[in-house]
Amino acid sequence: MAQGDKETTKQKGDKGEAEAAEYLRGIGYEIKAIRWKYERYDLDLIAENKTHIVFVEVKTRFSDVYGEPWEAVNKGKRKRICISADAYIQQFNVVLEPRFDIVSIIKMGERSTIQHIEEAFWPTA
């Protein structure tokens, strides 16, 4: 990237999602979709393992100064993820048990710290 060029937030997010997908593949998950859209919402990653369909929210930060990336997945975001996940399950007749994970990435230069939080939250009514 030329000096003065800045990556957009979307570009940074896309790179984080790609890195999270690569990480999940490496531990045996099959990636079913990246940035799956439902109405005005989206799901960052949809993956499967032997027992679950896993809806993964990816949060990437370049510092932990403002807290851990996963802390940004607030109640409203969780609700939107659950609505989208339900639509995906209905559309594709998914029979696996759903699970909601967060992949939290902190990038420091070329190094990344990845934290995979399984069962990060449960759907609420």
Side-chain angles (χ1 to χ4, degrees):
M1 199 177 296
Q3 186 174 0
D5 288 349
K6 291 273 189 176
E7 281 187 296
T8 66
T9 301
K10 182 183 179 332
Q11 289 169 323
K12 290 175 184 177
D14 290 351
K15 285 183 178 181
E17 289 164 1
E19 189 169 354
E22 183 179 325
Y23 165 81
L24 291 171
R25 280 187 197 102
I27 60 171
Y29 288 75
E30 178 185 351
I31 303 301
K32 304 300 279 184
I34 297 175
R35 289 180 297 285
W36 188 79
K37 302 277 187 211
Y38 171 70
E39 294 183 354
R40 64 186 184 277
Y41 308 139
D42 69 358
L43 295 167
D44 291 342
L45 297 175
I46 302 170
E48 282 185 8
N49 64 17
K50 292 177 183 171
T51 58
H52 292 87
I53 181 83
V54 184
F55 301 97
V56 183
E57 179 66 12
V58 180
K59 288 296 178 192
T60 305
R61 299 286 183 267
F62 293 82
S63 163
D64 61 359
V65 170
Y66 299 106
E68 295 293 329
W70 60 265
E71 293 175 312
V73 185
N74 60 30
K75 184 177 180 180
K77 182 65 176 174
R78 291 189 306 266
K79 181 178 179 181
R80 291 187 293 276
I81 292 167
C82 291
I83 290 168
S84 300
D86 185 59
Y88 183 90
I89 289 167
Q90 297 301 319
Q91 182 175 339
F92 295 101
N93 298 311
V94 175
V95 296
L96 292 172
E97 183 177 348
R99 193 177 80 202
F100 298 89
D101 291 6
I102 298 173
V103 171
S104 181
I105 302 172
I106 298 177
K107 296 192 70 61
M108 300 288 208
E110 295 299 314
R111 290 192 48 208
S112 295
T113 301
I114 298 175
Q115 180 181 15
H116 179 196
I117 305 166
E118 295 182 4
E119 297 182 16
F121 60 91
W122 295 93
T124 56

